[in-house]
Amino acid sequence: MGEVHKISQGEGVVVAIPDSGVAPHPDLRDNLLSGTDVIPNGAGDGRQDQDSHGTAMAGLVAAHGRPNAKGALGIAPKAKIIPIFSTPPHKDGDPDSLAEAIEFAVSRGVDIISISSVGGSSSRLVQAVEMALSADIVVVAGAGNRPRDSQVGYPASHPGVIAVGGVDRIGGHAAVAVTGPEISVAAPAVDLYSTSYGNAYSRGTGTSGATAIVAGAAALVRAKYPYLPADEVAHRLTATAIDKGPPGRDDQYGYGVIDLVAALTADVPPRGFESVPAASPDAAGPTTTAADGPPAEGGGDGAAAVRGWVTLGVLLTAGGAWALFARHRRRSDDPPPRISR
């Protein structure tokens, strides 16, 4: 992540996380703003978590670590998090509760809303998502996890929302991630370490973690290019993604695996000119649009997979798990959180 963080660390960007709340972990608390609860039995400000899911998502987005290179480091370590307690511990959320959480986020003027859950929709939730998009907010949502989910869920399926799929440790499609025509981009979704409640750490698998990674990427882009509207932020992420599978957009990877360096440095044409290659003179080697990426997955695609992991700052630990947190870490004794609902 060193190369990425020399360019952007998400300064000035606020990310709302409607989830199980976010605990004030020492690797995260300096970036944790006061939020709210939209369901009973919370702390009132979103800053508690009895599930670990919300804290894990917040850590992937914006953990800042501790002195002497200790602790967890997220994708955008200078972005701020607004926690919204909208999902009861170890239970599914309610569409109207998520709608209320989104409405609160819009009222606070956030830049990004990261939704690591799927479920049913309601008229209020549809209206809330539309409100967020109309307010120039980047909305990122997980596609869903197999076997529980069989198709891209809501709100990831809503037009204009960045729907996130997942890749595994070798850069292929993660078996846990659902597929569908709504997928926008893919990100690591297998064996992700993050912060947890009780000042501990956890490991999880699923498109929830991939969603938080993409939300962090959007925070980097919004900090580097504060003039870009939300739809152009999404376009920059998709236009610079590393193509996987069949050339162009496909149902597994969308436009490809996000490439943080390219998203921050490439000369990306405006929307409507997606067939024009995105030049990236500052990045190592040529950067292409999704339509001009490497050939279909397989042995010839390995270099692209490696490049994608390097630019994401993902390391292979001794235990065989991807760690976006490359600094000192330990695993919690608690069971790993569910990474998608």
Side-chain angles (χ1 to χ4, degrees):
M1 294 296 291
E3 182 180 359
V4 170
H5 288 163
K6 288 178 182 178
I7 304 169
S8 175
Q9 296 189 37
E11 301 93 329
V13 176
V14 179
V15 182
I17 298 184
D19 210 294
S20 61
V22 178
H25 193 284
D27 297 347
L28 182 61
R29 62 168 62 109
D30 291 350
N31 288 341
L32 191 58
L33 303 176
S34 178
T36 192
D37 300 341
V38 299
I39 57 176
N41 303 319
D45 61 0
R47 292 166 58 97
Q48 73 171 26
D49 185 4
Q50 300 176 7
D51 181 284
S52 182
H53 193 271
T55 306
M57 299 306 102
L60 287 167
V61 174
H64 51 64
R66 284 171 281 159
N68 302 316
K70 292 184 178 180
L73 185 65
I75 296 291
K78 290 189 178 179
K80 301 298 184 182
I81 297 293
I82 289 185
I84 305 174
F85 179 39
S86 61
T87 306
H90 313 297
K91 294 182 180 179
D92 293 333
D94 171 73
D96 285 348
S97 294
L98 179 56
E100 185 176 352
I102 294 172
E103 292 161 0
F104 175 82
V106 173
S107 73
R108 290 288 296 270
V110 305
D111 302 289
I112 298 161
I113 302 176
S114 181
I115 305 171
S116 291
S117 62
V118 299
S121 64
S122 67
S123 59
R124 182 178 179 183
L125 179 54
V126 171
Q127 291 173 358
V129 173
E130 287 288 354
M131 181 192 308
L133 295 172
S134 297
D136 195 37
I137 296 171
V138 178
V139 182
V140 187
N145 293 337
R146 298 177 190 233
R148 177 173 180 173
D149 304 309
S150 59
Q151 60 186 14
V152 177
Y154 197 84
S157 60
H158 190 102
V161 172
I162 301 176
V164 183
V167 291
D168 60 22
R169 289 175 295 189
I170 60 173
H173 175 254
V176 70
V178 300
T179 62
E182 302 90 348
I183 299 294
S184 305
V185 291
V190 175
D191 292 339
L192 299 174
Y193 283 101
S194 189
T195 45
S196 182
Y197 58 76
N199 298 343
Y201 299 87
S202 60
R203 184 178 71 181
T205 288
T207 58
S208 283
T211 300
I213 291 169
V214 173
L220 296 179
V221 172
R222 294 217 94 165
K224 175 73 186 299
Y225 304 100
Y227 57 85
L228 277 185
D231 58 349
E232 289 291 347
V233 172
H235 172 56
R236 178 165 278 272
L237 292 174
T238 57
T240 58
I242 300 167
D243 196 17
K244 297 274 294 178
R249 205 216 71 82
D250 63 75
D251 289 357
Q252 288 188 324
Y253 305 99
Y255 289 96
V257 181
I258 59 167
D259 183 330
L260 299 186
V261 172
L264 294 171
T265 62
D267 183 10
V268 178
R271 288 186 308 139
F273 296 87
E274 288 86 348
S275 62
V276 180
S280 180
D282 296 327
T287 300
T288 64
T289 62
D292 295 322
E297 60 183 319
D301 209 16
V306 170
R307 177 166 167 256
W309 293 126
V310 170
T311 57
L312 284 167
V314 181
L315 304 179
L316 185 62
T317 69
W322 294 110
L324 279 134
F325 301 145
R327 305 198 282 184
H328 176 71
R329 57 194 176 270
R330 65 181 177 85
R331 287 186 60 185
S332 168
D333 291 330
D334 296 322
R338 294 175 301 157
I339 285 299
S340 185
R341 295 180 171 81

